[in-house]
Amino acid sequence: MTTESATACPVLHNRDDRKSAELADAEARPEAGFAPIHQFGFARDIMRSAAVRQGMEVDYFKDKEPSKVPVIFLDGEVHKKRRAQLARYFTPKAIAGRHRQVMDRTTAEVMGELRRAGRGQLDVMSLRLACDVAAEIVGLTNTDAAAMSNRLRKKFTASGKRKRAGLLGRLGALEDTLRTIWFFKRDVVPAIRHRQTHDCDDVISFLVREGFSDQEILVECMTYATAGMITTREFIVMVAWHLLENEALRRQFLDGGEEVQFAILDEILRIDPVAAYVYRKAEEDLVTSDGRQVKAGEQFLVDIRNINVDEAATGACPFAIDAERSKRERMPSNWLSFGDGPHRCPGAQVAMHETRVFIDALLRVPGIRLARKPTMGWIEDINGYELHGAIVECDRA
């Protein structure tokens, strides 16, 4: 626990540190036809099995040339090969060297702006960092970073309007399309054109070498934008919300080293994962580690939220933040919040590092306080929460 020992946990059997569970219970809409998995061990076996494939969006690309399909939608050997080609951008060496410089620079700029203004909006601040880091990896570096962050923020907002009923939904779809075109012309095209004559060490350069069209590169950029920008923005705000409201946890974070800080981030992500579900389909018969037989054609909904609080894996008091939990339960970091197996999120450690850098700097700003809690919403496209409008205030520089 944050202040009490693990042995005291049974006394706090009603403790629940989750902030998004009620919203998720009300708004999450799993697809029909998929058997839900709530057990940690079974879910991990399914996600790690070579006999299992993705179960949803991948069908959209089944008739397309595999070499031109976004890596997130690939499976099998072609997926393994593409992941290996892109792995260099997500290694610990890349994070410690190249990406950490971007994290430190952007965080310093954002905190400087906060100190001068005396207040800031957390989702705008965190998106700026998430955009800068993802842009460096992808190669969206030929336009103004702050302007691109603003364009993407408006595009993400417009995407949520598509789900509205009637005319409002049609207008939302039109706005979303126009903002996507604007992002393409202002940010993606300049990056492509530069890399057609200057080979850089980033994803777009790789795609240009592989012969991807401009439109195919746009799809890749939007995939990275969703996976690397939206989800990281939400997680950073969620972490800030937890730590700015929980003084004991805040002190534990600030007084601890990086190992303790990452352990706290892991726990917050465990109980408040940004995405709720992933889908899988068995292509062949298989037997799981507990002897369960799975037949080819069976489809599963991996319920990340419930799996991450499976007491058989977490131990006692699964809804409480406990920085010692992973070590005590001998569980690898992140639980299943970033998935597992061949489709585990390649940018998981990038997201954790940029969150740690941002939160550590934010909590050390003189007089930092949460002036307004975030408004919570639900993003149907990723079946996850969004947090908007949280305001922090501080002593002005």
Side-chain angles (χ1 to χ4, degrees), residues 164-307:
R164 295 175 178 175
L167 179 60
L168 290 177
R170 292 193 292 274
L171 290 174
L174 176 60
E175 181 186 354
D176 186 31
T177 300
L178 292 174
R179 292 199 180 281
T180 300
I181 294 172
W182 189 234
F183 166 64
F184 175 62
K185 291 188 176 298
R186 290 299 302 271
D187 301 297
V188 179
V189 170
I192 294 172
R193 297 296 173 261
H194 179 78
R195 282 152 184 79
Q196 287 171 337
T197 56
H198 301 79
D199 191 14
C200 302
D201 189 20
D202 51 43
V203 174
I204 291 179
S205 291
F206 168 78
L207 299 176
V208 168
R209 291 195 301 271
E210 293 292 307
F212 278 55
S213 69
D214 289 2
Q215 288 73 27
E216 289 165 342
I217 292 176
L218 171 64
V219 173
E220 289 276 0
C221 288
M222 293 311 305
T223 301
Y224 279 97
T226 301
M229 297 179 190
I230 295 181
T231 54
T232 304
R233 174 189 68 179
E234 309 309 340
F235 181 53
I236 290 175
V237 177
M238 178 61 78
V239 172
W241 188 8
H242 273 281
L243 297 184
L244 288 170
E245 284 195 335
N246 186 331
E247 181 60 30
L249 189 62
R250 175 178 174 175
R251 288 263 46 101
Q252 185 183 18
F253 185 91
L254 288 174
D255 295 342
E258 287 192 11
E259 183 179 356
V260 172
Q261 292 183 339
F262 280 125
I264 291 172
L265 297 185
D266 265 347
E267 277 291 277
I268 294 174
L269 187 61
R270 181 183 65 80
I271 65 172
D272 281 314
V274 180
Y277 309 125
V278 294
Y279 298 89
R280 294 293 184 263
K281 179 180 179 180
E283 295 291 315
E284 306 170 14
D285 294 350
L286 68 131
V287 179
T288 61
S289 60
D290 63 355
R292 176 172 174 174
Q293 295 187 353
V294 175
K295 298 297 183 181
E298 287 192 61
Q299 300 185 119
F300 298 99
L301 179 148
V302 182
D303 186 348
I304 294 173
R305 287 184 161 273
N306 282 310
I307 289 165

Side-chain angles (χ1 to χ4, degrees), residues 26-244:
E27 299 293 339
R29 298 289 185 270
E31 292 291 330
F34 291 82
I37 300 176
H38 300 144
Q39 298 79 33
F40 187 94
F42 181 50
R44 187 166 57 181
D45 286 349
I46 288 296
M47 298 184 80
R48 290 181 175 180
S49 174
V52 174
R53 297 290 184 264
Q54 296 192 86
M56 285 293 294
E57 295 89 344
V58 67
D59 288 340
Y60 174 80
F61 294 96
K62 65 181 180 181
D63 296 325
K64 298 184 182 297
E65 170 59 39
S67 64
K68 303 299 175 63
V69 173
V71 63
I72 193 174
F73 299 114
L74 293 173
D75 268 308
E77 285 302 314
V78 65
H79 172 260
K80 183 178 179 180
K81 179 181 178 181
R82 181 81 67 80
R83 281 280 294 238
Q85 291 171 321
L86 297 172
R88 59 183 299 178
Y89 306 118
F90 305 99
T91 62
K93 181 179 179 180
I95 294 172
R98 176 177 171 183
H99 305 331
R100 179 59 188 267
Q101 293 178 25
V102 179
M103 296 174 196
D104 289 340
R105 182 179 66 244
T106 299
T107 297
E109 291 174 0
V110 170
M111 297 306 157
E113 293 168 1
L114 173 63
R115 290 296 312 278
R116 289 189 292 274
R119 71 195 320 259
Q121 186 169 325
L122 272 176
D123 56 287
V124 176
M125 296 163 61
S126 61
L127 182 61
R128 170 69 190 283
L129 175 62
C131 280
D132 280 11
V133 174
E136 175 70 20
I137 295 171
V138 175
L140 293 169
T141 57
N142 293 88
T143 48
D144 179 77
M148 184 181 70
S149 175
N150 190 47
R151 280 189 287 273
L152 282 170
R153 180 175 58 83
K154 292 178 179 178
K155 184 265 180 292
F156 296 151
T157 300
S159 295
K161 299 177 183 178
R162 300 178 70 103
K163 302 295 183 179
R164 295 175 178 175
L167 179 60
L168 290 177
R170 292 193 292 274
L171 290 174
L174 176 60
E175 181 186 354
D176 186 31
T177 300
L178 292 174
R179 292 199 180 281
T180 300
I181 294 172
W182 189 234
F183 166 64
F184 175 62
K185 291 188 176 298
R186 290 299 302 271
D187 301 297
V188 179
V189 170
I192 294 172
R193 297 296 173 261
H194 179 78
R195 282 152 184 79
Q196 287 171 337
T197 56
H198 301 79
D199 191 14
C200 302
D201 189 20
D202 51 43
V203 174
I204 291 179
S205 291
F206 168 78
L207 299 176
V208 168
R209 291 195 301 271
E210 293 292 307
F212 278 55
S213 69
D214 289 2
Q215 288 73 27
E216 289 165 342
I217 292 176
L218 171 64
V219 173
E220 289 276 0
C221 288
M222 293 311 305
T223 301
Y224 279 97
T226 301
M229 297 179 190
I230 295 181
T231 54
T232 304
R233 174 189 68 179
E234 309 309 340
F235 181 53
I236 290 175
V237 177
M238 178 61 78
V239 172
W241 188 8
H242 273 281
L243 297 184
L244 288 170

